[in-house]
């Protein structure tokens, strides 16, 4: 049995549960308590505040955690990042009132900066030789300049909408973040085996995301051209059809390339094109 800590509510909760579900690790989320047990996998879920997850994993009270890389970096907890999970993407940035004529980091010299991420900010400022006053506040950091609490802020930015609506502009991006899977530093062999199985499943789910399975019929003399348009995992599968002079091609295409590829395939005579969702991809 292993224990995985995820955010109890908030931005990472839903995606964390979806990843588990898609990995066949079903937890009855309707009866959510502090701890939930997966029905068909040796795993317990621990629902926590994101700030607490790195420390709990470092202490060994949980074996794995899903948390924003920003929290791992801020807490400095002794954990290993074993996978980037591709959701909860954001960045930690410095922002100043939009009327400021900003001309480089020196602007921050001697100024005050409000943030909930004092450690990351402190490391960044020391590295850059800037001496500024860090004012730690827990929430609503974006209102600090207008409220006269600080000259600038250091906060999470995703779309940038919050900054704009508070009359601020992003001037330096300091840390890129996304949800990551972390584990502790001494894991027993038994637990490692279960962790490997979690990783195997997570990888298969992630591999399938953003991809489609595509199949079509095509005149056999156009197969070589079609192969050039279809960069598959190894190579596309080509099978002769019962109808003389025609073949069937199966392949996997990235969502980003899908429509361009389909249009090019139609131009070279592809017919009966089917596009299917991919569930899992196991290399
Ligand atoms: O209760 P708990 O402590 O668990 O939750 P929390 O309130 O501390 O965190 P939560 O749920 O807000 O965020 C959890 C994690 O999601 C963060 O630690 C990040 O890793 C990640 N994440 C991704 C974000 C955002 N995107 C994000 N946009 N966390 C916060 N924001 C905030 C941002 O600070 C801004 O104020 O959302 C606001 C909107 O952002 P814009 O730029 O899109 O306007
Ligand atoms: Zn938090």
């Amino acid at each position: 049995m292993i224990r995985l800590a995820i955010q109890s509510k908030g931005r990472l909760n839903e995606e964390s549960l979806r990843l588990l579900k898609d990995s066949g690790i079903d937890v009855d989320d309707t009866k959510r308590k502090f701890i939930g047990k997966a029905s068909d996998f040796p795993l317990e879920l621990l629902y926590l505040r994101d700030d607490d997850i790195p420390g709990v994993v470092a202490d060994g009270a949980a074996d794995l955690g899903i948390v924003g890389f920003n929290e791992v970096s801020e807490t400095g907890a002794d954990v290993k990042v074993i996978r980037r999970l591709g959701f909860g993407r954001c960045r930690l940035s410095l922002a100043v009132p939009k009327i400021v004529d900003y001309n480089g980091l020196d602007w921050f010299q001697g100024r005050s900066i409000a943030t909930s991420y004092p450690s990351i900010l402190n490391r960044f400022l020391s590295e850059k030789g800037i001496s500024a006053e860090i004012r730690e506040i827990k929430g609503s950091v974006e209102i600090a300049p207008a409220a006269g609490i600080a000259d600038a802020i250091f906060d999470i930015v995703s779309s940038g909408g919050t900054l704009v609506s508070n009359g601020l502009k992003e001037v330096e991006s300091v840390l890129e973040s996304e949800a990551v899977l972390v584990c502790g530093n001494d894991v027993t062999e038994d637990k490692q085996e279960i962790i490997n199985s979690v990783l195997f499943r997570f990888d298969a789910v992630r591999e399938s995301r953003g991809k489609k399975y595509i199949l079509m019929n095509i005149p056999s003399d156009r197969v070589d051209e079609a192969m050039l348009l279809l960069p598959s995992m190894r190579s596309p599968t080509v099978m002769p059809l019962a109808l003389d002079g025609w073949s069937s091609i199966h392949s996997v295409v990235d969502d980003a390339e899908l429509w361009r590829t389909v249009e090019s395939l139609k131009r070279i005579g592809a017919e009966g094109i089917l596009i299917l969702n991919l569930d899992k991809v196991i290399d």
Side-chain angles (χ1 to χ4, degrees):
M1 180 72 69
I2 58 165
R3 201 178 259 186
L4 165 67
I6 67 166
Q7 199 189 15
S8 55
K9 50 184 188 321
R11 284 163 200 272
L12 303 183
N13 169 267
E14 212 172 289
E15 284 280 6
S16 303
L17 287 169
R18 188 160 77 99
L19 176 59
L20 288 168
K21 192 167 192 305
D22 290 351
S23 302
I25 304 174
D26 264 311
V27 183
D28 185 356
D29 193 38
T30 52
K31 287 190 250 145
R32 183 188 306 178
K33 299 199 191 86
F34 181 53
I35 291 184
K37 197 180 157 338
S39 51
D40 47 5
F41 195 83
L43 180 142
E44 266 176 354
L45 267 194
L46 195 57
Y47 297 98
L48 295 175
R49 287 202 53 181
D50 66 346
D51 321 48
D52 296 330
I53 293 175
V56 163
V57 174
D59 294 348
D63 306 293
L64 294 174
I66 295 178
V67 65
F69 180 69
N70 50 309
E71 293 298 334
V72 178
S73 180
E74 178 63 22
T75 55
D78 189 15
V79 294
K80 273 191 299 208
V81 172
I82 52 175
R83 280 300 182 278
R84 290 157 63 150
L85 298 175
F87 58 89
R89 286 213 172 87
C90 57
R91 54 197 185 273
L92 271 167
S93 293
L94 282 161
V96 302
K98 68 171 189 285
I99 48 157
V100 165
D101 184 17
Y102 182 80
N103 50 13
L105 271 177
D106 266 346
W107 184 86
F108 289 98
Q109 211 66 263
R111 312 244 181 198
S112 57
I113 309 168
T115 187
S116 313
Y117 294 92
S119 305
I120 298 172
L121 179 58
N122 187 35
R123 279 201 299 272
F124 175 75
L125 294 176
S126 334
E127 216 173 85
K128 301 288 179 191
I130 304 289
S131 108
E133 190 195 331
I134 298 175
R135 301 209 172 133
E136 185 177 353
I137 53 175
K138 293 282 181 214
S140 307
V141 171
E142 64 280 357
I143 62 154
I149 296 168
D151 299 313
I153 67 163
F154 177 63
D155 199 10
I156 293 180
V157 181
S158 156
S159 67
T162 302
L163 293 183
V164 171
S165 57
N166 284 281
L168 300 168
K169 62 181 176 188
E170 184 178 2
V171 291
E172 307 281 344
S173 163
V174 172
L175 181 88
E176 293 289 328
S177 181
E178 67 187 274
V180 292
L181 182 68
V182 292
C183 81
N185 277 310
D186 26 66
V187 177
T188 62
E189 227 169 88
D190 292 3
K191 287 189 171 178
Q192 190 59 52
E193 219 169 281
I194 306 173
I195 292 173
N196 290 345
S197 164
V198 170
L199 289 175
F200 177 72
R201 292 177 183 212
F202 279 15
D203 290 347
V205 171
R206 275 219 67 193
E207 230 356 83
S208 71
R209 288 194 178 158
K211 293 196 175 89
K212 293 282 185 288
Y213 191 79
I214 176 169
L215 38 144
M216 76 213 76
N217 298 331
I218 193 158
S220 298
D221 59 359
R222 310 304 293 264
V223 165
D224 288 349
E225 275 170 274
M227 298 280 266
L228 293 175
L229 298 170
L230 288 165
S232 189
M233 283 181 290
R234 206 145 281 164
S235 71
T237 307
V238 182
M239 285 174 289
L241 287 185
L243 183 64
D244 214 22
W246 281 80
S247 297
S248 160
I249 300 185
H250 299 204
S251 190
V252 173
V253 179
D254 282 343
D255 280 344
E257 303 292 322
L258 185 67
W259 288 109
R260 212 167 333 136
T261 306
V262 168
E263 282 154 11
S264 309
L265 287 165
K266 274 207 73 82
R267 269 198 293 275
I268 62 167
E271 289 179 5
I273 302 173
L274 299 182
I275 298 162
L276 310 175
N277 284 327
L278 267 183
D279 199 24
K280 311 280 184 297
V281 174
I282 295 157
D283 272 332

